[in-house]
Amino acid sequence: MHSHKGCGPKVLRRTLLKGMGALAVAPLMAGLGAKNVFASQPGDKPRIGNKGSHNTRLVLLGTTGGMTWWPGSTRASNSQALLVGDAMYIIDLGFGSCARLAEAFNFGHFITIGGQRTQLELSTFLSNMRAVFFTHLHMDHLGDYPTFLEIGARAGYAKKQPLVIIGPGDRGRLDDNLSGYKGTVIQAESCNPPFTTPTPGTKMMTSHILQAFAQTFNDCAQDEGYPDIPKIIDVREIGDPTAIPWPSGFVIPDPGKPWTSDITCPAMTPFEIYKDDRLCVTAILVDHYEVYPAFAFRFDTEDGSLVISGDTGPDTRGNLQKLAKGADVLVHEVIDDFWIKASFKGVKAGEPAWPLYHHVITAHTSTADVGRVAQQCGVKTLVLSHIAPANAPVARLRLAQQNFSGKLIVGEDLMEIGIGKPQGRSKA
Ligand SMILES: [Zn+2]
Ligand SMILES: [Zn+2]
């Protein structure tokens, strides 16, 4: 039991409350005879569950993107779970995705006492979670990361081994200021202590999350026995020479020179960022225009291969085509071409809507282009995700089929996609 040094009044109040709680519960428990307690029953079935028709399964947890809430849609922001046997992996954690994660996989153990059904203990449905991958550091891909770090720890991640978290390093400088913004730069660059950067990488972001939510993290650890989170996560950055080296020939932007889109996505060869006994993960830069670095990831398992494009424009200097060559499944971002034309009709440089329009047409891939990209990659199945706007009609999204001869799937939250041959057992 820990002590509350120097917190006199709080100790008194909290000790009192705990004492009252114990007193209130005691008569209830004493009144329950053994004959009223029945054996543990199976928990409510999660929507997806830990067994499926395929050994390698992709589960779409969030299928929209963009820094907005789209009216008329319940799609969560971008996130995927990948299951290989009983091992789980997550790619991106956009806002709303943790609720989907629980909906997909959370299960409990329930008992009936005196006719009352009740859950026993807390669920640890994430105990086979091995790694989390971030394609790039935009909130529609990591808004639920703080929730995952804290609530996920209690749900069992890192129960068996430290949880590996891999994402981009510090970008090194801000994007071009296309909107003429003259306001506050958060964490503006400082070469003096505490050496702030306006573009923190995955390690600094994680450490800032722990600081910002310190009250919750500390309270849950000390009062409720939550795990020692800084000790059970293994955060690695793509670009950190101490963790994962940049591939040779990689171009690191020179902060002293004007930045162009050309150096955010130089042509390169895929490089390995993670490997275990279930899969190998390779990465390559894609072109999220001035948003740098942005990666696509490829996951190769004994059953087949899956590529997640991350956020990218259609021209990656051939990088995505190299990474995704011959893959079974390509999950690619998409933006509705009809919506772009309707929303930004006639907009000109210098007008208020122009910066967003510029972002939309340079940093993302439209329905008109995505099929062609998938065709060039030679993938069997194209899954549209990161669908923007989230309320775009499915029929319009299906126009992506025009330039693609393979199978087209318009992604939905909690859609499950098997990779490789079915195992010949029914879905749990
Ligand atoms: Zn996005
Ligand atoms: Zn993005």
Side-chain angles (χ1 to χ4, degrees), residues 20 53 87 91 108 140 158 168 184 204 209 228 232 241-242 343 359 374 377:
M20 284 169 68
S53 58
I91 305 102
D140 56 326
T184 308
M204 188 184 282
I209 288 169
D228 181 350
I232 61 170
T242 62
S343 293
H359 172 80
C377 292

CSV table of all heavy atoms in Angstrom, one decimal, residues 20 53 87 91 108 140 158 168 184 204 209 228 232 241-242 343 359 374 377:
chain,number,residue,atom,x,y,z
A,20,MET,N,-16.0,3.6,4.2
A,20,MET,CA,-17.5,3.6,4.0
A,20,MET,C,-17.8,2.6,3.0
A,20,MET,O,-18.8,1.9,3.1
A,20,MET,CB,-18.0,5.0,3.6
A,20,MET,CG,-18.0,5.9,4.8
A,20,MET,SD,-18.3,7.6,4.2
A,20,MET,CE,-20.0,7.4,3.7
A,53,SER,N,-12.4,-16.9,-39.9
A,53,SER,CA,-12.3,-17.9,-41.0
A,53,SER,C,-10.9,-18.0,-41.6
A,53,SER,O,-10.5,-19.0,-42.3
A,53,SER,CB,-13.3,-17.6,-42.1
A,53,SER,OG,-13.0,-16.3,-42.6
A,87,ALA,N,-2.0,-13.4,-32.7
A,87,ALA,CA,-1.3,-12.1,-32.5
A,87,ALA,C,-2.0,-11.0,-33.1
A,87,ALA,O,-2.6,-11.1,-34.2
A,87,ALA,CB,0.1,-12.3,-33.1
A,91,ILE,N,-2.7,-0.7,-36.8
A,91,ILE,CA,-2.1,0.4,-37.7
A,91,ILE,C,-3.0,1.6,-37.6
A,91,ILE,O,-4.1,1.6,-38.0
A,91,ILE,CB,-2.0,-0.1,-39.2
A,91,ILE,CG1,-1.3,-1.5,-39.3
A,91,ILE,CG2,-1.3,0.9,-40.1
A,91,ILE,CD1,-2.2,-2.7,-39.4
A,108,GLY,N,-16.0,-10.6,-22.1
A,108,GLY,CA,-15.9,-10.6,-20.6
A,108,GLY,C,-16.3,-11.9,-20.1
A,108,GLY,O,-16.6,-12.9,-20.8
A,140,ASP,N,-6.1,12.4,-37.2
A,140,ASP,CA,-7.1,11.4,-37.7
A,140,ASP,C,-6.5,10.0,-37.8
A,140,ASP,O,-7.2,9.1,-38.2
A,140,ASP,CB,-7.8,11.9,-39.1
A,140,ASP,CG,-6.8,12.2,-40.1
A,140,ASP,OD1,-5.6,12.6,-39.8
A,140,ASP,OD2,-7.1,11.9,-41.3
A,158,ALA,N,0.8,-5.7,-23.6
A,158,ALA,CA,2.1,-5.8,-23.0
A,158,ALA,C,2.0,-6.8,-21.8
A,158,ALA,O,2.9,-6.8,-20.9
A,158,ALA,CB,2.7,-4.5,-22.5
A,168,PRO,N,6.8,7.7,-37.1
A,168,PRO,CA,7.8,8.6,-37.7
A,168,PRO,C,8.5,9.4,-36.6
A,168,PRO,O,8.0,9.6,-35.5
A,168,PRO,CB,7.0,9.6,-38.5
A,168,PRO,CG,5.7,8.9,-38.8
A,168,PRO,CD,5.4,8.0,-37.6
A,184,THR,N,-0.2,31.7,-33.3
A,184,THR,CA,0.7,31.0,-32.4
A,184,THR,C,1.3,29.7,-33.1
A,184,THR,O,0.5,29.0,-33.7
A,184,THR,CB,-0.1,30.5,-31.1
A,184,THR,OG1,-0.8,31.7,-30.6
A,184,THR,CG2,0.8,29.9,-30.1
A,204,MET,N,8.7,11.7,-28.6
A,204,MET,CA,8.3,12.9,-27.9
A,204,MET,C,6.8,13.1,-27.7
A,204,MET,O,6.3,13.4,-26.6
A,204,MET,CB,8.9,14.2,-28.5
A,204,MET,CG,8.7,15.4,-27.6
A,204,MET,SD,9.3,17.0,-28.4
A,204,MET,CE,11.0,16.8,-28.3
A,209,ILE,N,2.3,12.9,-24.0
A,209,ILE,CA,0.9,12.3,-23.7
A,209,ILE,C,1.0,11.9,-22.2
A,209,ILE,O,0.1,12.2,-21.4
A,209,ILE,CB,0.5,11.2,-24.6
A,209,ILE,CG1,0.2,11.7,-26.0
A,209,ILE,CG2,-0.6,10.4,-24.0
A,209,ILE,CD1,0.0,10.6,-27.0
A,228,ASP,N,2.8,-0.2,-15.1
A,228,ASP,CA,3.8,0.8,-15.2
A,228,ASP,C,4.0,1.1,-16.7
A,228,ASP,O,4.9,0.5,-17.3
A,228,ASP,CB,5.1,0.3,-14.5
A,228,ASP,CG,6.2,1.4,-14.5
A,228,ASP,OD1,6.1,2.4,-15.2
A,228,ASP,OD2,7.2,1.1,-13.9
A,232,ILE,N,6.5,-0.6,-20.0
A,232,ILE,CA,6.0,-1.7,-20.8
A,232,ILE,C,5.8,-1.4,-22.3
A,232,ILE,O,5.3,-2.2,-23.0
A,232,ILE,CB,4.7,-2.3,-20.2
A,232,ILE,CG1,3.6,-1.3,-20.2
A,232,ILE,CG2,4.9,-2.9,-18.8
A,232,ILE,CD1,2.2,-1.8,-19.9
A,241,PRO,N,18.4,7.0,-35.6
A,241,PRO,CA,19.5,6.1,-35.9
A,241,PRO,C,19.8,5.1,-34.7
A,241,PRO,O,20.4,4.0,-35.0
A,241,PRO,CB,20.7,7.0,-36.0
A,241,PRO,CG,20.2,8.4,-35.9
A,241,PRO,CD,18.8,8.4,-35.5
A,242,THR,N,19.2,5.3,-33.5
A,242,THR,CA,19.4,4.4,-32.4
A,242,THR,C,18.4,3.3,-32.5
A,242,THR,O,18.5,2.3,-31.8
A,242,THR,CB,19.3,5.1,-31.1
A,242,THR,OG1,18.0,5.6,-31.0
A,242,THR,CG2,20.3,6.2,-30.9
A,343,SER,N,-17.2,21.2,-54.1
A,343,SER,CA,-16.9,22.1,-53.0
A,343,SER,C,-16.0,23.2,-53.3
A,343,SER,O,-16.0,24.3,-52.7
A,343,SER,CB,-16.3,21.3,-51.9
A,343,SER,OG,-17.2,20.4,-51.3
A,359,HIS,N,-4.5,21.3,-50.4
A,359,HIS,CA,-4.2,20.1,-49.6
A,359,HIS,C,-4.9,18.9,-50.2
A,359,HIS,O,-4.3,17.8,-50.3
A,359,HIS,CB,-4.6,20.4,-48.1
A,359,HIS,CG,-4.5,19.1,-47.3
A,359,HIS,ND1,-3.3,18.7,-46.8
A,359,HIS,CD2,-5.4,18.2,-46.9
A,359,HIS,CE1,-3.5,17.6,-46.1
A,359,HIS,NE2,-4.8,17.3,-46.2
A,374,ALA,N,-3.9,1.3,-57.9
A,374,ALA,CA,-4.0,-0.1,-57.5
A,374,ALA,C,-3.7,-1.0,-58.7
A,374,ALA,O,-3.0,-2.0,-58.5
A,374,ALA,CB,-5.4,-0.4,-57.0
A,377,CYS,N,0.0,-1.2,-59.1
A,377,CYS,CA,0.6,-2.0,-58.0
A,377,CYS,C,0.4,-3.5,-58.3
A,377,CYS,O,1.1,-4.3,-57.8
A,377,CYS,CB,-0.1,-1.7,-56.7
A,377,CYS,SG,0.3,0.0,-56.1
